[in-house]
Amino acid sequence: MNAAHTAELPDDLVAFDVRRDGHVAEVTLLGPAKGNAMGPDFWRELPLVFRALDADPDVRAIVLTGSGQHFSYGLDLNAMLPGWSEFLAGDAQAGPRTRFLDEVRTMQEAVSSVAKCRTPVVAAVAGWCIGGGVDLIAGADIRLASADARFSVREVKVAIVADIGSLQRLGAVIGEGHLRELALTGKDIDAARAERIGLVNDTYADRDALLAAARALGAELAANPPLVVRGIKDVLSMGTEQQVDAGLRYVSAWNAAFLPSKDLGEAVQAFLEKRPPHFTGE
């Protein structure tokens, strides 16, 4: 596959690799944290990548995948938490709460750049897809997985209401009942269950077979008339776009108001100490 020559793409990407094969662009998460965890570089670069691809008429389909064994471990807590220390303090006032609200909405807009991309996006998931990783693939048009894929809307386990798109987008994909189960329990599900509930369309034996299938599907999408494909995406989004946007604004305000808690502090401390948390509802 040849290196990308996509219009307006930054030439100094850290969290992504973008390559082109004909009319199909392949976007690969690189980390640089373990498991392609999502740190500041990810959130800064994601909208730059997808807005550039959206603006490129030669790109007619996009495959989104992760490097290495896993799609993404989700939010890079080690990289992100220091910037939120003022907000997470027990006596945070309007200033730090407003700054946190702005940052959450910026992160929401980053993932929404995938969902609002006029070019169809195929997510190819191998290994773990946790938290923010699920938010990200919820913004794709089609999701495929390898047999070893594992999914988890895990924010509840760290005393956080998921606020980047899973709760707003997945109900239309997997149904309200399945979404409530995943979000309220934070449980892990395997690729077989993900396929049964419609989170992924198909599963494949391994990562190589997954990528081959995703690339073939991308080529199939790219062979169709591009303006009609964009029109189909536009029409399909009419029923959900306003509801998703309203839901994202509400959850960002909710977390800016209520996220700091003793349970969140306990979740962070337990994460750092690699032990189970003990929640008290405070």
Side-chain angles (χ1 to χ4, degrees):
M1 190 174 287
N2 297 323
H5 298 288
T6 313
E8 300 181 12
L9 268 174
D11 57 8
D12 58 348
L13 293 173
V14 174
F16 297 92
D17 177 64
V18 184
R19 298 177 181 268
R20 284 268 299 278
D21 185 7
H23 292 298
V24 180
E26 189 165 319
V27 179
T28 305
L29 281 65
L30 299 179
K34 183 178 180 181
N36 304 318
M38 301 168 170
D41 290 323
F42 172 90
W43 299 108
R44 177 176 55 83
E45 294 176 1
L46 178 64
L48 300 179
V49 168
F50 272 85
R51 287 167 188 163
L53 295 177
D54 177 83
D56 189 337
D58 287 332
V59 175
R60 298 184 181 182
I62 301 168
V63 173
L64 175 63
T65 192
S67 61
Q69 295 182 324
H70 303 289
F71 183 79
S72 178
Y73 286 172
L75 190 69
D76 185 351
L77 289 174
N78 289 326
M80 301 298 291
L81 284 175
W84 300 339
S85 58
E86 185 183 19
F87 165 70
L88 294 176
D91 57 351
Q93 300 297 306
R97 290 180 186 273
T98 300
R99 287 188 286 275
F100 180 77
L101 175 65
D102 290 342
E103 182 162 359
V104 170
R105 288 183 173 171
T106 297
M107 294 164 69
Q108 290 176 339
E109 289 170 6
V111 169
S112 290
S113 71
V114 178
K116 295 181 179 180
C117 182
R118 294 171 296 173
T119 304
V121 180
V122 179
V125 180
W128 281 108
C129 181
I130 302 171
V134 179
D135 289 317
L136 181 58
I137 67 168
D141 297 286
I142 301 167
R143 288 154 293 276
L144 308 177
S146 60
D148 70 341
R150 299 291 184 273
F151 303 84
S152 181
V153 183
R154 197 175 290 183
E155 284 85 349
V156 69
K157 296 291 191 182
V158 289
I160 296 174
V161 176
D163 56 6
I164 310 296
S166 291
L167 301 188
Q168 290 71 35
R169 294 188 171 101
L170 285 185
V173 176
I174 64 175
E176 191 78 10
H178 290 303
L179 174 57
R180 286 176 183 263
E181 180 185 355
L182 296 184
L184 292 170
T185 65
K187 66 168 55 176
D188 306 332
I189 63 169
D190 61 17
R193 176 147 191 221
E195 184 175 359
R196 284 200 304 274
I197 66 177
L199 179 59
V200 301
N201 289 27
D202 291 293
T203 58
Y204 299 88
D206 53 33
R207 187 174 186 272
D208 288 343
L210 165 70
L211 288 176
R215 290 163 182 162
L217 179 56
E220 185 178 356
L221 294 166
N224 287 330
L227 296 181
V228 173
V229 170
R230 288 187 170 197
I232 291 169
K233 284 201 61 171
D234 188 42
V235 171
L236 287 173
S237 69
M238 282 299 295
T240 58
E241 188 172 340
Q242 290 183 343
Q243 183 177 351
V244 167
D245 288 344
L248 289 171
R249 289 187 64 82
Y250 180 80
V251 71
S252 62
W254 197 98
N255 271 348
F258 299 116
L259 184 61
S261 67
K262 290 184 179 180
D263 279 347
L264 178 60
E266 164 64 9
V268 171
Q269 195 63 33
F271 170 78
L272 295 174
E273 296 175 1
K274 298 182 179 179
R275 62 170 174 81
H278 176 66
F279 297 129
T280 62
E282 297 178 81

